[in-house]
Amino acid sequence: MLRLTSGQWSVSADKELPVLYRSDHFIVVDKRFDLKVNSDDPTDTVTVATLLRHQYPDLVDSNAFHGFRFVHRLDYATSGCLCIALTKKGARWGHKAFANRYVTKHYLALIRGHLSSDKGQVIDVDVAIGKDSSETDCHRMCSSDNAVCREPRDAHTTIVLLQHGFYGEEPVSKVLLIPHTGRTHQLRVHCCHLGHCIVGDYMYSRRTDTAPFRMMLHALRLIIPMKRETVSVISCDPFVPEIDNLWKPLTTFTTVDDFLGNSENSLTNLIGNLSTLPSVSI
């Protein structure tokens, strides 16, 4: 368990990954922040792969890279839902689902400043993302309106304003982020494009936002639909005062449940028409 008290974090000694879902084909874990998915560096002894290997030695596949078939990835600093396939069939379908954009992902974030509510609570950011050619020592991306952007590809994110508040003494907004494409660092770049970088995002704050103990981006929900099995998982919201007492919400515009329940983004529509999707034999 991770808990913040007066700005300091403690990690339980067992370091086990919470399991949110498990079937014959998939396991979904709740990845903590500042944890690599896997690594070729032998000095990286604590990763999702090594923790899974210790926690579930019977699931290790000697034919898979690092012993596990990761369907997708989360950045080192991002916490939340991470799906691993336990079979070759699951891995094939999972990768196809992501490639064909069948998968629904919801993220929560705290972003710098009070995002304006003048134009409503929902903002669609449809701005291409490419490589930042000004950076040579990191994999920084940028929006296509930047002169140093190279090889931009289409990127689309829906941003829903949930709350205004303060993190410590600084104005901050809590938002729901729904990516419709899967570009590298898409959510981080699109938030910066609006002028509201994610709290604690060292890279996209130009290495200035160093005070927070983590980057405030969390993969809240993951939905992978298929004919015989729908992986639908939700994790706990870490951005609440009961967990982080530096976050003090003041004004609530909507909640995740209310937004999804009162919009076309209901679970039924998110999953879509299952009859059109490929199946995984069980």
Side-chain angles (χ1 to χ4, degrees), residues 29 32 59 110 140 162 259 261:
V29 300
R32 66 175 183 263
L59 298 183
L110 298 181
R140 180 184 167 92
L162 302 177
F259 172 75

Side-chain angles (χ1 to χ4, degrees), residues 128 130-135 141-152 193 206:
K131 299 176 182 178
D132 186 339
S133 61
S134 70
E135 294 283 354
M141 309 297 284
C142 61
S143 53
S144 58
D145 58 338
N146 195 312
V148 298
C149 186
R150 298 292 180 267
E151 302 174 11
H193 176 76
R206 296 291 182 181

Side-chain angles (χ1 to χ4, degrees), residues 180-252:
H180 305 287
T181 51
R183 305 304 175 210
T184 301
H185 298 175
Q186 175 175 319
L187 302 180
R188 299 163 68 182
V189 172
H190 275 171
C191 287
C192 282
H193 176 76
L194 293 180
H196 298 273
C197 283
I198 295 174
V199 174
D201 192 338
Y202 179 73
M203 178 182 292
Y204 289 98
S205 67
R206 296 291 182 181
R207 303 176 175 86
T208 61
D209 197 355
T210 57
F213 66 93
R214 63 163 291 183
M215 182 177 72
M216 306 299 179
L217 179 61
H218 178 75
L220 177 72
R221 194 177 191 188
L222 178 67
I223 303 173
I224 307 177
M226 56 185 161
K227 287 183 177 179
R228 297 194 183 187
E229 176 183 3
T230 294
V231 176
S232 181
V233 182
I234 189 166
S235 59
C236 292
D237 177 1
F239 307 135
V240 294
E242 293 79 9
I243 294 178
D244 187 345
N245 59 16
L246 295 179
W247 163 235
K248 298 177 177 62
L250 295 180
T251 304
T252 297

Side-chain angles (χ1 to χ4, degrees), residues 92-164:
R92 285 197 301 269
W93 191 88
H95 291 136
K96 185 175 181 180
F98 272 88
N100 291 336
R101 300 179 184 176
Y102 295 144
V103 178
T104 294
K105 296 177 287 181
H106 295 156
Y107 292 76
L108 290 174
L110 298 181
I111 60 175
R112 292 291 180 187
H114 284 162
L115 185 65
S116 174
S117 58
D118 292 344
K119 297 182 179 180
Q121 299 164 8
V122 181
I123 301 173
D124 268 316
V125 183
D126 195 354
V127 178
I129 291 174
K131 299 176 182 178
D132 186 339
S133 61
S134 70
E135 294 283 354
T136 58
D137 60 343
C138 64
H139 299 290
R140 180 184 167 92
M141 309 297 284
C142 61
S143 53
S144 58
D145 58 338
N146 195 312
V148 298
C149 186
R150 298 292 180 267
E151 302 174 11
R153 301 175 68 187
D154 69 294
H156 179 200
T157 304
T158 297
I159 301 178
V160 183
L161 175 60
L162 302 177
Q163 292 177 310
H164 282 168

